[in-house]
Amino acid sequence: MLDEILECDLRDIQVVLDRSDICEYTTSLTKQPFIPKVGEIIPSRHSHLLAQEFECFAIGDYVAYDSSTSESVFVYAKILAHVTDKEIQLLESTDGGFLAMQYEIAIGQNVSTTAEGYSLYKLVTVADIERDFFEKLDICEVEYKIGKAMHFAWDLSAQERDKIIKRLLLQCCPIKRCEYTSLERKEMTDYIFGIAKSIHGTQDVEKILAPLLQCLRKESQQQEANREIYMYSDIYSSYDGDSIAPPGPNCYPDHQNAERWLMQAEHDYDAAMDDSSSLWTCFKCHQAIEKGLKAARYFAGLGSTTNHDLGSLSRGLTSNISRNAMKLENHLGPNASTRLRYPDRHQSPNIPCDAYGASHASKAKELAGEIMHEISEYKYILC
């Protein structure tokens, strides 16, 4: 590492450090909690900061309130009082009675309303963000809670019922890494459909719920992408672990520039596939992915950058994109954007065309193809 830093151009030192995930050291003597502003709307891109599980809340807790009966609109709120009798709450808590709870909540300065438990969301903490895994619950216990929630939901209006089912389905598609296998998640999803059929008494339920599940899968992917962007911003690091996770950066996608960069990336990639020169194939692959990553950053709202290092460009994007971008950068060598072009980046008497042969070109095309496919999927998720 030290030898590489000493040999590289001063302008490339930060790139080398970024590629090795060596960050500037900063420290704070005290870490303060984040205090939400009651009544403030939570942008949809920050919905990954809301826990989908149904909870029982204490007076004084800050929560997210789903204030809409159709398209979800979340605002910060604060619990003022329990409207449901506390004894009933304790009695029902083991049987999924959290959904039936009613609370008086503050949703603005001197403005309050009554809200049902299923319209309130726990706000995740900084410690939740930093955890690698959610705690894995027993599948039978999960299905028991799902059954209780479904029976409660079916007595409500269609809009309120769908709100609860949406949360149940999102619990089966967690946005963070989880110990549940894909088979277990499918089992939970099938169980929701089975309960709905037994209550509704018709096989048409699957036709009603299947489109909702499909939409929620994409929403879950969007939340996962936004969580990675959020973690890349590191905005939460200055807050205490028990603090509510603060909203992420104001990421506004720039689709117009994203499409321009992606079109050029696709052109460069196609050119790389047709080139007979190993060196130019490698160079064009690097160019294609550099531009493709910049397109992905525009789609994600991460903005522009003049960086040419694929590892640095991929930070904040999905783990698959980042991993393969790093593989391609490492495959082509440190500071590949200049090594592929300039003789003085190689030890004399070697020049770039001596360093890259057919095996380099073949692997570069393989990795570039995977990354371009992943960027296309990322675009679909975010758009």
Side-chain angles (χ1 to χ4, degrees):
M1 166 63 69
L2 183 58
D3 290 339
E4 185 177 357
I5 292 175
L6 293 175
E7 291 176 3
C8 74
D9 190 283
L10 288 176
R11 293 168 297 182
D12 295 330
I13 290 178
Q14 190 59 51
V15 172
V16 175
L17 295 175
D18 286 344
R19 192 168 61 244
S20 301
D21 288 327
I22 299 176
C23 304
E24 180 182 0
Y25 176 76
T26 58
T27 185
S28 175
L29 295 178
T30 59
K31 291 190 174 184
Q32 301 296 325
F34 168 69
I35 307 298
K37 184 178 180 181
V38 171
E40 186 174 274
I41 292 178
I42 304 172
S44 60
R45 63 183 176 278
H46 296 157
S47 61
H48 66 93
L49 298 176
L50 314 182
Q52 297 297 332
E53 292 77 10
F54 300 105
E55 299 281 348
C56 179
F57 300 104
I59 294 173
D61 283 351
Y62 286 96
V63 296
Y65 170 49
D66 186 352
S67 59
S68 174
T69 56
S70 53
E71 188 80 19
S72 293
V73 177
F74 301 105
V75 298
Y76 286 118
K78 187 176 183 179
I79 304 294
L80 298 178
H82 296 102
V83 176
T84 309
D85 186 86
K86 185 70 173 176
E87 294 302 319
I88 296 177
Q89 172 198 346
L90 292 173
L91 179 65
E92 293 186 339
S93 62
T94 56
D95 291 336
F98 296 160
L99 287 79
M101 284 291 298
Q102 287 187 318
Y103 303 85
E104 181 184 357
I105 60 172
I107 54 173
Q109 188 172 6
N110 301 321
V111 181
S112 64
T113 190
T114 300
E116 293 76 14
Y118 57 81
S119 293
L120 302 178
Y121 293 71
K122 177 187 174 184
L123 300 167
V124 302
T125 65
V126 170
D128 292 330
I129 296 290
E130 293 175 335
R131 280 191 320 185
D132 284 335
F133 294 95
F134 282 127
E135 179 183 359
K136 182 178 180 179
L137 300 176
D138 180 76
I139 293 294
C140 293
E141 180 183 349
V142 172
E143 291 181 347
Y144 173 77
K145 292 181 177 180
I146 288 174
K148 284 289 183 179
M150 289 292 290
H151 279 88
F152 174 83
W154 225 262
D155 292 330
L156 304 175
S157 68
Q159 291 176 331
E160 298 300 295
R161 180 192 66 209
D162 288 349
K163 185 186 293 185
I164 292 175
I165 294 175
K166 175 182 175 181
R167 289 183 69 169
L168 290 172
L169 290 171
L170 279 174
Q171 288 178 39
C172 300
C173 305
I175 61 172
K176 284 200 69 178
R177 293 190 301 277
C178 176
E179 292 179 344
Y180 291 123
T181 65
S182 58
L183 184 61
E184 288 172 327
R185 288 196 291 271
K186 184 179 185 302
E187 180 183 336
M188 288 187 281
T189 303
D190 290 344
Y191 188 77
I192 292 174
F193 278 60
I195 291 289
K197 289 177 183 177
S198 67
I199 297 172
H200 197 270
T202 174
Q203 295 297 314
D204 291 339
V205 166
E206 189 160 351
K207 295 180 181 178
I208 298 171
L209 296 185
L212 177 62
L213 179 60
Q214 186 62 34
C215 291
L216 291 179
R217 283 198 180 110
K218 182 173 181 180
E219 181 175 333
S220 179
Q221 290 174 321
Q222 288 176 327
Q223 290 188 7
E224 183 176 356
N226 286 328
R227 174 64 67 85
E228 296 217 29
I229 295 169
Y230 179 82
M231 295 183 74
Y232 171 65
S233 74
D234 208 27
I235 190 173
Y236 56 88
S237 63
S238 59
Y239 292 89
D240 183 79
D242 293 329
S243 168
I244 294 169
N250 291 323
C251 301
Y252 298 102
D254 183 347
H255 289 171
Q256 183 177 2
N257 271 319
E259 291 290 356
R260 294 176 65 217
W261 281 91
L262 186 56
M263 286 175 63
Q264 186 61 49
E266 291 169 345
H267 178 274
D268 291 356
Y269 174 73
D270 290 341
M273 298 302 104
D274 294 335
D275 206 306
S276 59
S277 165
S278 297
L279 172 62
W280 280 107
T281 296
C282 292
F283 175 70
K284 290 174 182 177
C285 284
H286 191 279
Q287 284 289 295
I289 299 311
E290 180 183 334
K291 291 163 187 171
L293 293 175
K294 289 182 178 181
R297 292 178 64 84
Y298 275 119
F299 281 124
L302 293 174
S304 62
T305 175
T306 57
N307 203 323
H308 302 288
D309 180 80
L310 303 185
S312 299
L313 286 170
S314 65
R315 291 185 65 186
L317 304 177
T318 68
S319 56
N320 281 344
I321 291 176
S322 295
R323 181 167 54 251
N324 282 327
M326 284 292 296
K327 284 183 180 179
L328 180 57
E329 184 73 21
N330 291 334
H331 173 66
L332 297 176
N335 306 311
S337 63
T338 52
R339 281 175 54 86
L340 286 160
R341 292 180 288 167
Y342 304 125
D344 61 359
R345 291 296 185 179
H346 298 263
Q347 187 173 358
S348 180
N350 292 328
I351 56 176
C353 63
D354 298 325
Y356 299 96
S359 61
H360 286 91
S362 177
K363 185 64 175 178
K365 288 195 289 186
E366 176 188 338
L367 290 171
E370 292 178 10
I371 299 168
M372 289 298 294
H373 175 71
E374 287 158 0
I375 290 172
S376 296
E377 288 191 337
Y378 192 55
K379 170 189 171 182
Y380 169 76
I381 292 169
L382 293 178
C383 299

